[in-house]
């Protein structure tokens, strides 16, 4: 089964300082048809104006990943985690048994554009944790790079779920394989640019979900700009 989620059909929330698109139900946006995909619960594409941000609030039992596409994002939490996230960096916060955190635009004059991702963990009430990693964009030109994994292999972030997050950048007509195991689920999200896979033409914000699908698909860059693509490899 292949499901298509187009950018134009996502939920939308605007709050002056915030413009957000929700792939799955979140906050005031609720659609019973889009409650998540396996343990992948949230992909929010957020644009936050200078000076704007999310004040301190609490989460529990969720693996939260942030991927900055442009601008800078400042993080602080009550476990001692703190940092400024820039393009090419990925942040992991495991909320565990409970954590309070804030996310703010770190710039006073430029917006920040980022993806906030939630994955349900495979264990409950663990100790909260925070890390961030820098991933050289040039290292994923035309090849997959692992951002997050269960064991932190290849210097990836060690999330608490049997899931992998990988990323690739594709120039026009450059292709990579997407190898599917029919016993797992996959969610392919286009962060920027345009691609084609299996007859589906996708642009920024579009996504495909694969369940009970095996085999190899060719993912090809199709736009004038470099395409930045995320692939979630998830338990069924």
């Amino acid at each position: 089964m292949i499901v298509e989620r187009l950018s134009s059909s996502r939920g939308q929330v605007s709050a002056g300082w915030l413009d957000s698109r929700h792939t799955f139900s979140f906050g005031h946006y609720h659609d019973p048809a889009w409650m998540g995909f396996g343990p992948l619960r949230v992909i929010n594409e957020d644009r936050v104006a200078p000076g704007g941000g999310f004040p301190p609030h609490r989460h529990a039992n969720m693996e939260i990943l942030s991927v900055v596409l442009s601008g800078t994002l400042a993080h602080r939490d009550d476990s001692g985690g703190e940092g400024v996230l820039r393009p090419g960096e990925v942040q992991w916060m495991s909320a565990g048994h409970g954590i309070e955190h804030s996310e703010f635009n770190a710039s006073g004059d430029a917006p920040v554009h980022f993806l906030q991702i939630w994955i349900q963990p495979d264990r409950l009430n663990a100790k909260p944790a925070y890390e961030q990693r820098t991933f050289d964009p040039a290292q994923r030109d035309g090849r997959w790079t692992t951002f997050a994994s269960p064991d932190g292999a290849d210097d990836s972030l060690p999330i608490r779920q049997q899931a992998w997050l990988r990323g690739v950048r594709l120039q026009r007509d450059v292709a990579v394989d997407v190898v599917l195991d029919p016993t797992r689920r996959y969610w392919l999200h286009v962060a920027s640019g345009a691609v084609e896979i299996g007859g589906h033409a996708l642009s920024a914000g579009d996504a495909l979900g694969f369940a009970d699908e095996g085999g190899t698909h060719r993912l090809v860059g199709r736009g004038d700009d470099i395409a930045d693509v995320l692939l979630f490899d998830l338990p069924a």
Side-chain angles (χ1 to χ4, degrees), residues 64 75 77 79 81 92-96 99 126-131 158 160:
I64 300 175
H75 168 92
D77 65 57
S79 77
W92 164 62
M93 185 182 74
S94 183
I99 192 169
K127 183 179 179 180
Y130 170 86
E131 289 188 46
R160 295 161 172 169

Side-chain angles (χ1 to χ4, degrees), residues 2-4 6 178 188 195-203 206-208 210 213 216-220 222:
I2 299 176
V3 297
E4 187 174 62
L6 297 180
V178 178
L188 187 142
V195 297
E196 183 179 347
I197 180 170
H200 296 267
L202 306 174
S203 57
D206 294 341
L208 289 181
F210 302 87
E213 289 281 329
T216 299
H217 294 260
R218 293 290 280 172
L219 177 69
V220 186
R222 288 303 188 210

Side-chain angles (χ1 to χ4, degrees), residues 6-210:
L6 297 180
S7 174
S8 59
S9 67
R10 294 179 296 175
Q12 180 177 0
V13 173
S14 296
W17 57 271
L18 172 67
D19 180 67
S20 185
R21 302 295 196 274
H22 301 333
T23 296
F24 304 111
S25 294
F26 184 87
H28 295 297
Y29 168 65
H30 179 77
D31 184 341
W34 295 103
M35 298 302 295
F37 192 76
L40 178 60
R41 182 62 188 82
V42 168
I43 302 178
N44 290 349
E45 181 181 0
D46 293 337
R47 290 177 170 86
V48 176
F54 304 92
H57 57 286
R58 295 193 68 80
H59 294 298
N61 293 316
M62 196 65 69
E63 303 294 284
I64 300 175
L65 297 163
S66 297
V67 180
V68 171
L69 303 178
S70 64
T72 52
L73 183 70
H75 168 92
R76 179 173 293 177
D77 65 57
D78 64 1
S79 77
E82 185 175 358
V84 175
L85 200 65
R86 297 173 174 83
E89 296 178 319
V90 180
Q91 171 189 284
W92 164 62
M93 185 182 74
S94 183
H97 57 64
I99 192 169
E100 182 177 270
H101 76 115
S102 64
E103 311 287 340
F104 277 88
N105 188 338
S107 170
D109 54 21
V112 59
H113 179 199
F114 70 103
L115 299 177
Q116 181 184 148
I117 298 157
W118 292 11
I119 298 174
Q120 293 172 323
D122 60 8
R123 69 209 73 172
L124 296 177
N125 299 324
K127 183 179 179 180
Y130 170 86
E131 289 188 46
Q132 68 183 62
R133 293 269 199 282
T134 300
F135 297 92
D136 183 356
Q139 295 300 308
R140 65 178 191 275
D141 282 344
R143 57 188 172 185
W144 292 107
T145 291
T146 303
F147 293 150
S149 68
D151 57 4
D154 301 320
D155 202 31
S156 61
L157 293 162
I159 64 173
R160 295 161 172 169
Q161 178 55 271
Q162 296 303 304
W164 284 258
L165 172 59
R166 299 181 175 96
V168 68
R169 285 161 43 98
L170 296 173
Q171 298 189 42
R172 178 187 286 275
D173 296 331
V174 175
V176 292
D177 287 338
V178 178
V179 181
L180 306 180
D181 178 344
T183 67
R184 295 183 61 81
R185 291 174 177 243
Y186 300 85
W187 189 265
L188 187 142
H189 180 90
V190 182
S192 62
V195 297
E196 183 179 347
I197 180 170
H200 296 267
L202 306 174
S203 57
D206 294 341
L208 289 181
F210 302 87

